[in-house]
Amino acid sequence: MLPENPIFVALDTPDLVQAAAWAEAVRPCVGGVKLGLEFFNSNGPDGVRRIVDLGLPVFLDLKFHDIPNTVAGAVRAVAGLGAAIVNVHASGGSAMLRAAAEAAADHGADRPLVIAVTVLTSLDDQDLAGVGQMGPAAAQVERLARLTQSCGLDGVVCSPAEIATLRAACGDDFRLIVPGIRPAWASTGDQKRIMTPREARDLGATILVIGRPITGADDPAAAAVRIMEELEIT
Ligand code: C5P
């Protein structure tokens, strides 16, 4: 079950003490936290357990992409750490996607949600052609989202620009996890195609992944509260 508060804070740091301090500070005002490759490769499974033990749902963003048997084993391993959401690359294909969903299902009611990455937002139409994927990127995103859904996964990671199309294509129950979120008062940093939390939520985003507008603020908890207020979450 996902929390009502859609804000997941990206704890993008290799430093466990820093990640735990951010998580503690924002705990009352967010729905969860996201840990990525930088954190995992610095702190390993024990580091993930430390953050899980703080009591917030954890989205473990490791983007698995391998043969089905190996991905199934990886999903089983991270499900055992207590992650609430794990992810894989949709371009791993239908057998890999099904294997990931089945491995998570072994954990029964406490299973993590399994989400797929469609097309990395760092890739444009030319990049896709270079790796032999059929473009344009928007069509490939929708194709992979439909494949993800047909294989029994719970949703996809998508950019703000893709929310409306994917919500229409995949229906109300499909989870859309959306980074590239910037409150009007925050600096854009290196994000290019951005949307405010309110706009993204109103278009149908399930989870808003927000990093630097919160972790880079002088008072991360106050920044998270300000976003909650904009979303009219009490
Ligand atoms: O600090 P910021 O809010 O830009 O952080 C966004 C988080 O979402 C980072 O962890 C980033 O790696 C991740 N992300 C993203 N764009 C994607 C996929 C993931 O910004 N397309």
Side-chain angles (χ1 to χ4, degrees):
M1 276 288 288
L2 288 176
E4 201 182 319
N5 185 329
I7 305 168
F8 271 56
V9 183
L11 304 178
D12 287 323
T13 172
D15 181 349
L16 176 59
V17 173
Q18 175 68 81
W22 280 333
E24 289 277 19
V26 301
R27 184 159 46 179
C29 20
V30 300
V33 297
K34 179 176 90 75
L35 299 174
L37 285 165
E38 183 183 16
F39 179 90
F40 188 78
N41 286 306
S42 303
N43 300 292
D46 285 343
V48 175
R49 278 192 209 94
R50 288 280 299 279
I51 301 296
V52 167
D53 286 348
L54 296 176
L56 277 169
V58 171
F59 169 19
L60 193 52
D61 179 17
L62 302 181
K63 300 186 181 72
F64 298 138
H65 189 172
D66 209 314
I67 59 171
N69 188 55
T70 300
V71 166
V75 169
R76 268 193 294 275
V78 294
L81 299 178
I85 307 174
V86 302
N87 63 358
V88 299
H89 272 284
S91 54
S94 59
M96 193 208 82
L97 293 171
R98 284 202 188 89
E102 283 162 18
D106 289 348
H107 283 259
D110 289 337
R111 75 172 181 91
L113 297 180
V114 187
I115 300 295
V117 175
T118 56
V119 176
L120 293 170
T121 47
S122 50
L123 302 180
D124 61 19
D125 291 353
Q126 214 178 341
D127 296 316
L128 282 189
V131 295
Q133 284 194 30
M134 217 190 328
Q140 177 69 345
V141 166
E142 188 173 337
R143 188 179 304 122
L144 288 174
R146 288 182 187 276
L147 177 72
T148 297
Q149 189 172 35
S150 74
C151 291
L153 277 72
D154 300 290
V156 291
V157 181
C158 71
S159 78
E162 294 155 359
I163 299 171
T165 307
L166 296 184
R167 184 55 70 222
C170 300
D172 288 344
D173 295 336
F174 199 58
R175 272 71 163 213
L176 300 179
I177 299 191
V178 185
I181 301 295
R182 286 290 177 273
W185 40 265
S187 96
T188 53
D190 54 3
Q191 295 281 12
K192 296 202 174 90
R193 280 168 293 162
I194 53 170
M195 208 173 259
T196 66
R198 184 69 190 246
E199 287 168 329
R201 202 269 314 270
D202 289 352
L203 275 174
T206 317
I207 286 179
L208 309 171
V209 175
I210 306 177
R212 289 161 291 179
I214 294 174
T215 57
D218 291 339
D219 183 343
V225 167
R226 197 165 167 189
I227 297 170
M228 271 177 80
E229 286 168 356
E230 288 173 17
L231 293 169
E232 292 174 12
I233 300 170
T234 46

